Amino acid sequence: MGFYQRQLQPRMLDAFMGSKTLGEIRERVCAGLAGDVVEIGHGSGRNHRYLPPQVTGVWAVEPSVVGLQLSRKRRRSSSAPPGGKRGGAAPANPVPAPHIGPPPCTPGGFKNYPP
Protein backbone atom coordinates (compact mmCIF):
# COMPACT_ATOMS: atom_id res chain seq x y z
CA MET A 1 0.00 0.00 0.00
CA GLY A 2 1.51 3.32 -1.06
CA PHE A 3 1.57 6.73 0.60
CA TYR A 4 -1.54 7.94 -1.24
CA GLN A 5 -3.63 4.94 -0.24
CA ARG A 6 -2.31 4.87 3.33
CA GLN A 7 -2.31 8.57 4.21
CA LEU A 8 -4.14 10.77 1.68
CA GLN A 9 -7.10 8.63 0.62
CA PRO A 10 -8.59 8.23 4.15
CA ARG A 11 -8.36 11.99 4.76
CA MET A 12 -9.88 12.85 1.39
CA LEU A 13 -12.73 10.36 1.91
CA ASP A 14 -13.39 11.86 5.35
CA ALA A 15 -13.73 15.32 3.81
CA PHE A 16 -15.90 14.16 0.89
CA MET A 17 -18.20 12.05 3.10
CA GLY A 18 -19.06 14.97 5.39
CA SER A 19 -21.66 16.64 3.17
CA LYS A 20 -25.15 17.59 4.36
CA THR A 21 -26.78 15.34 1.74
CA LEU A 22 -24.82 12.29 2.91
CA GLY A 23 -25.67 13.19 6.50
CA GLU A 24 -29.38 13.10 5.67
CA ILE A 25 -28.97 9.65 4.13
CA ARG A 26 -26.98 8.42 7.13
CA GLU A 27 -29.73 9.67 9.43
CA ARG A 28 -32.41 7.66 7.56
CA VAL A 29 -30.30 4.50 7.27
CA CYS A 30 -29.18 4.47 10.91
CA ALA A 31 -32.59 5.34 12.42
CA GLY A 32 -33.77 1.75 12.81
CA LEU A 33 -30.58 0.26 14.23
CA ALA A 34 -30.53 -1.36 17.67
CA GLY A 35 -28.27 -3.64 19.69
CA ASP A 36 -24.72 -4.35 18.56
CA VAL A 37 -23.95 -3.45 14.94
CA VAL A 38 -21.00 -4.21 12.73
CA GLU A 39 -19.84 -1.51 10.37
CA ILE A 40 -17.82 -2.85 7.48
CA GLY A 41 -15.85 -0.01 5.97
CA HIS A 42 -16.07 2.12 9.12
CA GLY A 43 -13.78 4.78 7.68
CA SER A 44 -13.49 7.90 9.82
CA GLY A 45 -16.63 7.14 11.81
CA ARG A 46 -19.06 9.49 10.11
CA ASN A 47 -22.04 7.27 11.03
CA HIS A 48 -21.51 7.59 14.79
CA ARG A 49 -23.32 10.92 14.99
CA TYR A 50 -26.49 9.32 13.62
CA LEU A 51 -26.62 6.17 15.74
CA PRO A 52 -29.76 5.99 17.89
CA PRO A 53 -29.49 5.35 21.63
CA GLN A 54 -30.78 1.79 21.05
CA VAL A 55 -27.38 0.87 19.58
CA THR A 56 -25.44 -0.77 22.38
CA GLY A 57 -22.15 -1.35 20.58
CA VAL A 58 -20.36 -0.71 17.29
CA TRP A 59 -17.91 -3.22 15.85
CA ALA A 60 -15.76 -1.30 13.36
CA VAL A 61 -14.02 -3.17 10.55
CA GLU A 62 -11.81 -0.82 8.56
CA PRO A 63 -8.76 -1.66 6.43
CA SER A 64 -7.26 1.81 6.96
CA VAL A 65 -5.46 2.35 10.25
CA VAL A 66 -5.50 6.10 9.47
CA GLY A 67 -9.27 5.93 8.99
CA LEU A 68 -9.63 4.45 12.48
CA GLN A 69 -7.33 7.13 13.89
CA LEU A 70 -9.50 9.80 12.28
CA SER A 71 -12.59 8.20 13.83
CA ARG A 72 -11.28 8.31 17.39
CA LYS A 73 -13.03 11.56 18.38
CA ARG A 74 -16.33 10.51 16.78
CA ARG A 75 -16.20 7.12 18.50
CA ARG A 76 -15.58 8.75 21.88
CA SER A 77 -18.47 11.21 21.52
CA SER A 78 -20.93 8.59 20.29
CA SER A 79 -23.80 7.39 22.45
CA ALA A 80 -22.94 3.84 21.32
CA PRO A 81 -19.97 2.27 23.09
CA PRO A 82 -17.36 0.63 20.88
CA GLY A 83 -17.71 -3.12 20.65
CA GLY A 84 -14.29 -3.39 19.07
CA LYS A 85 -12.29 -2.28 16.08
CA ARG A 86 -9.98 -3.83 13.57
CA GLY A 87 -7.56 -1.95 11.35
CA GLY A 88 -5.54 -3.34 8.49
CA ALA A 89 -6.47 -6.64 6.88
CA ALA A 90 -9.76 -7.88 8.32
CA PRO A 91 -9.65 -11.20 10.15
CA ALA A 92 -11.83 -14.11 9.08
CA ASN A 93 -14.24 -13.47 11.97
CA PRO A 94 -13.70 -9.98 13.46
CA VAL A 95 -16.81 -9.90 15.67
CA PRO A 96 -18.69 -12.34 17.89
CA ALA A 97 -21.38 -13.60 15.51
CA PRO A 98 -24.23 -14.65 17.85
CA HIS A 99 -25.48 -11.15 18.60
CA ILE A 100 -24.63 -9.12 15.51
CA GLY A 101 -27.37 -8.18 13.05
CA PRO A 102 -27.01 -7.18 9.39
CA PRO A 103 -24.82 -4.12 8.79
CA PRO A 104 -26.37 -0.86 7.56
CA CYS A 105 -25.59 0.24 4.03
CA THR A 106 -24.40 3.86 4.06
CA PRO A 107 -22.21 6.01 1.79
CA GLY A 108 -19.85 3.28 0.65
CA GLY A 109 -22.85 1.31 -0.61
CA PHE A 110 -25.08 3.98 -2.15
CA LYS A 111 -25.58 1.90 -5.25
CA ASN A 112 -27.72 -0.39 -3.06
CA TYR A 113 -29.64 2.44 -1.40
CA PRO A 114 -33.19 2.90 -2.76
CA PRO A 115 -33.90 6.41 -4.08
Side-chain angles (χ1 to χ4, degrees):
M1 203 184 300
F3 179 78
Y4 170 82
Q5 205 170 11
R6 249 187 358 263
Q7 297 293 326
L8 297 179
Q9 186 178 30
R11 289 173 171 84
M12 290 171 53
L13 285 172
D14 179 51
F16 296 146
M17 295 295 193
S19 74
K20 181 180 176 185
T21 302
L22 294 180
E24 291 168 355
I25 293 170
R26 290 175 198 279
E27 190 169 19
R28 287 194 308 263
V29 170
C30 293
L33 296 176
D36 280 3
V37 296
V38 61
E39 186 171 16
I40 300 167
H42 180 266
S44 60
R46 291 258 176 206
N47 287 336
H48 280 276
R49 175 180 176 187
Y50 303 99
L51 295 174
Q54 295 83 3
V55 173
T56 56
V58 177
W59 292 83
V61 178
E62 171 56 44
S64 169
V65 173
V66 172
L68 286 174
Q69 290 169 347
L70 293 171
S71 76
R72 191 173 296 136
K73 184 177 179 181
R74 291 182 183 112
R75 285 185 280 123
R76 285 186 188 146
S77 65
S78 175
S79 62
K85 62 185 187 324
R86 172 67 187 200
N93 187 12
V95 295
H99 62 284
I100 300 292
C105 181
T106 57
F110 279 158
K111 62 183 180 284
N112 298 322
Y113 189 80

